[in-house]
Amino acid sequence: MGQTIPQSNVFAVIDLGSNSFHMLIARHVAGGVHTIGRVKRKVRLAAGLDKSNVLSEEAMQRGWECLALFAERLQDIPKKNISIVATATLRLAKNADEFRVKAEQILNHKINVISGELEAKTIYKGVAHTSSCQGRQLVIDIGGASTEVIIGKGFDALLYKSLNMGCVTFLEHYFSDGLLSSENFDRAITSAKKVIQPIQKDFVALGWQLAIGASGTVQAIQEILAADGQTDLLTLEKLQDIQVQAIACKTIKELDLPGLSEERRLVFVSGLAILIALFESLHIAQMGLAGGALREGVLYSMIPELHNSDICKRTLDSFMDRYHVDKRQASYVAELALSLAKQLVDTWQLDLEVTKKILCAVACVHEIGLIVDYKLYHKHSAYILNHTGMPGYSKIEKQIIVALTASHRADLNLKTFAHLGSHAQTTQRLSRIVRLAVILSMRRQDDMVPPVTISADNKEQLTLSFETDWLVNHPLMESELEQEVQYQHKVDWNIQIKRY
C-alpha cells in the first residue's frame, strides 16, 4: 500500500473535555466548512479527581486509551491543521503534566490546556459562527467540571466567565448516593447559585436579547421535550417539570425519561440542577440550542478566510457554489420577491428586516435541487436544505426557508406549514410572494422582469396589476400566472390579475 497524502483542506480539532473527549474532522470547501467525521468517547476524566485535585491512574488510563483511537485518524491530516485543547479537569489536576506528556506522545501533537477565560471566548466564537446571531446573546455551556457563561454580540465576547461547576463534579458531590431526591436537587441548585452569585449582577445588568445553550444538557432537554410533543425552547417551568419527573424515578439507575439517551443519563440530573440555578439566578426567560461551541470555535479560528465574515452570506455562497446555482437568476428572484414584499409590508404587517433575510435565502437556494432532477426539483431542494446545516440561521428560520423552498412551485399543500406554529401564517404569505417572484423572473433576463404592482385586501386576496399590453406581449408569462391563480385557489388563496 502507498503512503497516505495529507489533505491540505482537512482540519481536525480534539477537545479533551471533563466528561467526554471529542474529535471533529472537517473539510474547508466551497467557501464553507463541512463536517466529515465526529468521534466521541465518554471518558469522565473529572470523576477521577480526588479532594486534593489529583487525577487517578484509572481516569488517566481511560483518557490515554481514547486518544490512542483518535491518533489513527490524525495520521491523514497535516499537522498544521490539527488543534488539540484541554479544559477544566486538566486545568485543575495537580498531576496534569503526567497525563499531558503521555497524551502528547500518543497523539504526536502538542496539547494546549486553555484557561477558563479563553475557553469561554472560544465557545462564544463557535456559537457566533454556527448560530443565528441577532443583537446581544447569552451563551451557556455546562461542561463536566466547568460552566462557561458569556454575553456577546456579533463575533465579540463582551462579558465572559468560567465557573467552577460541572455535570461530572456536581454528580460526584450531590448525587453520589445515586438518589434522585428533592434534597439532593436542592443542595445542588443552592450550591450552583452560590457559584453564580458573584457574576449575577454584571450579567443581568448588561442583558441580552437571546439565550443559547451550547451543552449536552440543553440538547438532552430538547430531546425530552420533543419526545413529549413540546416546543424545543427551554423555560424554567419546563426544567422544573422535568425535575419532578426525574425525582419520580427515585434513582439515577432507574432514570427513564422519554427522549433521554442512555449515554447522557448518568450526568443528566446534575446538569439539569446547574441549568435550573442559571435560569433562576440570571432570570433567563427561554433558551434555544447552539449549532456549535468550543470545537467549532477552535476550528473557525484555524481558517483565516472565515474570520469575521458575514455568516449568512458565507452559508448561501457555499450552497450556490456546491450546487452550481445560477447566481444571476437568484438575484432576479430576490429583487422581485423583495419588491413585492415591500408593497405588502403594511397590509400583512411584515417585519421587513426579517423578511429580507428569509426571502434572500430562499432566492439563493430554491434551485439547488436542479442538480438532482428538474421535475421535482423544489422537493429535492427542500430535502437537501432540511438535512444540511445552515450557520447564521436559527432553527425556526431554517424551517421557514425549507417550507418556502418546498412550496415555491407546482401544487400547494398547507401541511407544509403546519409545524411552524405561530409562524405559519406569515410563512404562507411569503410563499405566495416567492411563487409569484419565481414566475415573474422565468425568462431569466433582467430586462424581461415585468413592471408589476401588488396589493392585498383584508380577506387575503392578492391583486396583481400590469401595464395594459405587457401580458398580451408575453403570452407564456400570462399562461403561467393563470395556472398559478388555479394552484392558489385550490387552497383558498385568491389572486386577481388586472391590467392598467
Side-chain angles (χ1 to χ4, degrees):
M1 293 178 67
Q3 187 176 3
T4 60
I5 301 173
Q7 296 172 282
S8 62
N9 67 335
V10 176
F11 295 79
V13 176
I14 292 178
D15 163 20
L16 309 185
S18 300
N19 189 38
S20 302
F21 284 7
H22 298 256
M23 179 166 64
L24 169 65
I25 312 291
R27 179 181 289 121
H28 178 216
V29 65
V33 175
H34 310 295
T35 300
I36 58 174
R38 284 186 187 271
V39 184
K40 174 185 176 183
R41 290 292 183 271
K42 192 75 68 178
V43 175
R44 294 187 63 239
L45 201 64
L49 283 174
D50 64 17
K51 292 181 180 179
S52 301
N53 281 339
V54 174
L55 203 52
S56 70
E57 185 70 26
E58 292 81 7
M60 290 195 290
Q61 191 61 44
R62 291 197 301 270
W64 291 329
E65 288 172 0
C66 173
L67 296 180
L69 299 176
F70 289 2
E72 178 186 353
R73 184 68 179 88
L74 295 184
Q75 296 173 39
D76 308 326
I77 299 170
K79 291 202 71 163
K80 65 182 178 64
N81 290 4
I82 298 171
S83 185
I84 304 170
V85 296
T87 55
T89 297
L90 292 178
R91 288 197 295 267
L92 292 169
K94 291 179 179 177
N95 56 340
D97 284 347
E98 180 185 348
F99 176 84
R100 183 180 53 79
V101 168
K102 185 168 181 178
E104 289 180 346
Q105 291 173 351
I106 293 169
L107 294 167
N108 191 28
H109 202 283
K110 186 179 183 301
I111 294 172
N112 184 16
V113 181
I114 61 176
S115 69
E117 286 68 28
L118 180 56
E119 181 178 359
K121 290 169 72 175
T122 307
I123 287 168
Y124 180 78
K125 183 177 288 187
V127 172
H129 275 281
T130 57
S131 306
S132 177
C133 300
Q134 296 165 350
R136 279 198 302 273
Q137 54 186 350
L138 171 72
V139 174
I140 287 174
D141 190 330
I142 302 170
S146 69
T147 294
E148 281 63 48
V149 185
I150 313 105
I151 294 177
K153 185 175 182 180
F155 290 95
D156 300 320
L158 305 174
L159 184 62
Y160 45 90
K161 190 68 176 177
S162 181
L163 303 175
N164 188 20
M165 60 181 182
C167 58
V168 175
T169 51
F170 264 47
L171 173 70
E172 302 293 325
H173 290 154
Y174 303 106
F175 297 93
S176 57
D177 57 7
L179 298 180
L180 297 179
S181 62
S182 297
E183 292 76 17
N184 281 356
F185 265 106
D186 289 344
R187 287 192 307 126
I189 293 169
T190 300
S191 178
K193 285 182 175 180
K194 287 179 181 177
V195 177
I196 299 164
Q197 196 274 330
I199 71 162
Q200 180 181 16
K201 185 177 179 181
D202 289 343
F203 275 78
V204 172
L206 183 56
W208 57 86
Q209 282 76 50
L210 181 69
I212 302 178
S215 66
T217 297
V218 174
Q219 183 174 349
I221 291 169
Q222 278 202 344
E223 289 166 358
I224 291 169
L225 294 175
D228 193 39
Q230 299 186 60
T231 59
D232 57 8
L233 281 176
L234 280 63
T235 64
L236 181 58
E237 184 181 1
K238 290 177 180 177
L239 299 184
Q240 291 171 335
D241 182 56
I242 292 172
Q243 179 190 345
V244 170
Q245 294 177 51
I247 290 171
C249 294
K250 299 188 183 307
T251 68
I252 292 176
K253 188 176 181 180
E254 298 298 319
L255 182 62
D256 184 20
L257 302 178
L260 179 63
S261 68
E262 175 61 27
E263 180 186 37
R264 176 56 50 175
R265 179 173 59 83
L266 184 61
V267 295
F268 175 71
V269 291
S270 48
L272 175 62
I274 291 171
L275 194 57
I276 288 172
L278 286 161
F279 263 72
E280 291 182 345
S281 297
L282 300 181
H283 314 304
I284 300 170
Q286 57 184 30
M287 176 181 288
L289 179 66
L294 179 63
R295 290 176 294 284
E296 289 74 15
V298 174
L299 174 64
Y300 281 91
S301 297
M302 295 166 68
I303 307 173
E305 303 95 294
L306 302 181
H307 293 180
N308 296 331
S309 60
D310 183 323
I311 306 172
C312 293
K313 184 178 185 300
R314 190 173 72 211
T315 294
L316 299 178
D317 287 346
S318 179
F319 271 114
M320 289 192 285
D321 289 343
R322 212 182 327 168
Y323 297 102
H324 307 287
V325 169
D326 182 340
K327 294 182 180 181
R328 289 178 61 196
Q329 177 63 8
S331 70
Y332 299 152
V333 174
E335 286 178 26
L336 258 168
L338 284 171
S339 173
L340 297 176
K342 285 175 181 176
Q343 297 177 58
L344 296 168
V345 162
D346 294 332
T347 311
W348 279 355
Q349 296 182 318
L350 300 175
D351 182 322
L352 192 55
E353 186 176 343
V354 174
T355 298
K356 181 177 180 180
K357 181 180 182 182
I358 296 294
L359 292 180
C360 286
V362 175
C364 290
V365 300
H366 74 285
E367 288 192 335
I368 61 177
L370 285 173
I371 202 167
V372 180
D373 178 58
Y374 175 77
K375 186 175 181 180
L376 296 174
Y377 83 80
H378 54 300
K379 293 187 177 181
H380 299 313
S381 297
Y383 179 87
I384 292 168
L385 289 171
N386 199 35
H387 293 84
T388 309
M390 291 189 70
Y393 296 88
S394 67
K395 184 174 181 179
I396 188 62
E397 286 172 340
K398 178 182 174 181
Q399 290 175 339
I400 290 170
I401 292 165
V402 171
L404 292 174
T405 301
S407 63
H408 83 263
R409 65 186 288 264
D411 285 315
L412 281 158
N413 186 340
L414 296 185
K415 290 180 180 178
T416 306
F417 311 97
H419 65 293
L420 297 174
S422 62
H423 300 278
Q425 184 185 51
T426 299
T427 307
Q428 289 176 7
R429 288 170 167 174
L430 294 184
S431 174
R432 302 182 73 180
I433 290 172
V434 171
R435 291 174 69 91
L436 292 170
V438 169
I439 293 171
L440 295 172
S441 59
M442 62 181 287
R443 290 285 295 272
R444 309 180 83 88
Q445 297 289 332
D446 190 27
D447 60 352
M448 292 297 176
V449 175
V452 58
T453 59
I454 190 170
S455 61
D457 65 16
N458 56 11
K459 294 182 179 179
E460 299 284 317
Q461 176 171 297
L462 292 177
T463 300
L464 284 178
S465 301
F466 294 86
E467 292 180 354
T468 304
D469 296 332
W470 203 93
L471 289 178
V472 173
N473 296 328
H474 299 84
L476 178 58
M477 177 82 71
E478 183 174 32
S479 175
E480 288 294 304
L481 285 170
E482 288 172 352
Q483 177 64 61
E484 179 61 19
V485 169
Q486 297 306 312
Y487 280 135
Q488 295 204 24
H489 182 69
K490 287 180 182 178
V491 291
D492 294 326
W493 296 350
N494 295 317
I495 303 178
Q496 183 180 18
I497 297 177
K498 283 187 174 182
R499 298 161 178 82
Y500 62 86

